[in-house]
């Protein structure tokens, strides 16, 4: 039984704030990543296949898998933070379960535990090929809420 945790909204404008922050991410832009789903405590990010994102066998590179899992966890946590805060990954661990061989990479993240300063998140990453989803990675992240710190570059 996988019951969804209940979270309190810290910022009624969290969706706009998260989308604005995501739009400023240079790496996500470079990868061609898109934030396709956003809800309180959960995010989905997708990246279409491009040859430049592969490793030597032609699969999505694990660095791409890790990058979208990390961003998805960070933004899932950010949905639960106050308006005057910023988000920062403290730690993450990723298990690669299968080669990411397909047309699109999808990271679905959710907050497992939301403390005042630290949020614990998980992301499952799937690769889509021929209409089927293959679970290719799972990540566990610790995300820090930095209250009073801007979410913009200096």
């Amino acid at each position: 039984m996988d019951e969804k945790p209940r979270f309190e909204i810290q910022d009624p404008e969290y969706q706009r704030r998260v989308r604005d922050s995501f739009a400023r991410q240079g790496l996500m832009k470079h990868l061609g990543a898109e934030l396709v789903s956003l809800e309180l405590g959960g995010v989905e990010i997708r990246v279409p296949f491009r040859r430049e994102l592969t490793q030597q066998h032609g699969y999505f590179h694990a660095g791409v898998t890790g990058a979208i899992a990390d961003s998805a966890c960070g933004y899932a946590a950010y949905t639960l933070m106050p308006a005057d805060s910023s988000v920062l990954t403290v730690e993450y661990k990723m298990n690669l379960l299968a080669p990411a061989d397909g047309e699109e990479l999808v990271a679905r993240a959710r907050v497992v535990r939301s403390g005042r300063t630290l949020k614990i998140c998980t992301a499952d990453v799937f690769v889509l090929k021929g209409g089927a989803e293959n679970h290719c990675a799972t990540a566990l992240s610790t995300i820090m809420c930095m209250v009073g710190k801007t979410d913009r570059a200096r």
Side-chain angles (χ1 to χ4, degrees):
M1 200 186 268
D2 192 20
E3 191 176 310
K4 239 180 163 177
R6 294 187 187 151
F7 302 114
E8 289 184 29
I9 294 175
Q10 300 294 311
D11 173 17
E13 296 293 315
Y14 78 87
Q15 288 198 356
R16 179 197 48 77
R17 180 172 43 85
V18 169
R19 289 187 188 284
D20 289 350
S21 178
F22 185 84
R24 291 191 303 275
Q25 283 233 346
L27 181 60
M28 292 298 106
K29 198 171 291 181
H30 177 71
L31 295 177
E34 183 182 357
L35 181 63
V36 296
S37 173
L38 173 60
E39 63 183 24
L40 199 60
V43 162
E44 181 176 307
I45 295 174
R46 292 178 176 244
V47 174
F49 180 86
R50 290 193 342 256
R51 200 88 188 115
E52 299 84 3
L53 304 180
T54 65
Q55 44 80 289
Q56 70 276 15
H57 300 283
Y59 308 139
F60 278 99
H61 194 283
V64 177
T65 304
I68 67 168
D70 175 43
S71 285
C73 284
Y75 283 118
Y78 200 35
T79 67
L80 301 176
M81 295 182 190
D84 70 337
S85 66
S86 185
V87 61
L88 188 67
T89 300
V90 174
E91 178 270 340
Y92 80 90
K93 177 213 186 299
M94 187 172 69
N95 285 58
L96 300 168
L97 307 173
D101 180 20
E103 299 118 22
E104 190 171 33
L105 207 52
V106 180
R108 295 186 187 115
R110 66 183 179 87
V111 176
V112 177
R113 170 85 166 91
S114 182
R116 189 175 59 227
T117 304
L118 298 178
K119 318 287 185 198
I120 308 304
C121 304
T122 186
D124 290 314
V125 184
F126 302 88
V127 65
L128 307 179
K129 186 172 186 177
E133 276 191 1
N134 187 28
H135 191 183
C136 62
T138 295
L140 180 66
S141 296
T142 303
I143 309 294
M144 183 190 316
C145 174
M146 299 185 301
V147 177
K149 181 155 175 62
T150 181
D151 185 53
R152 297 182 180 273
R154 294 176 189 230

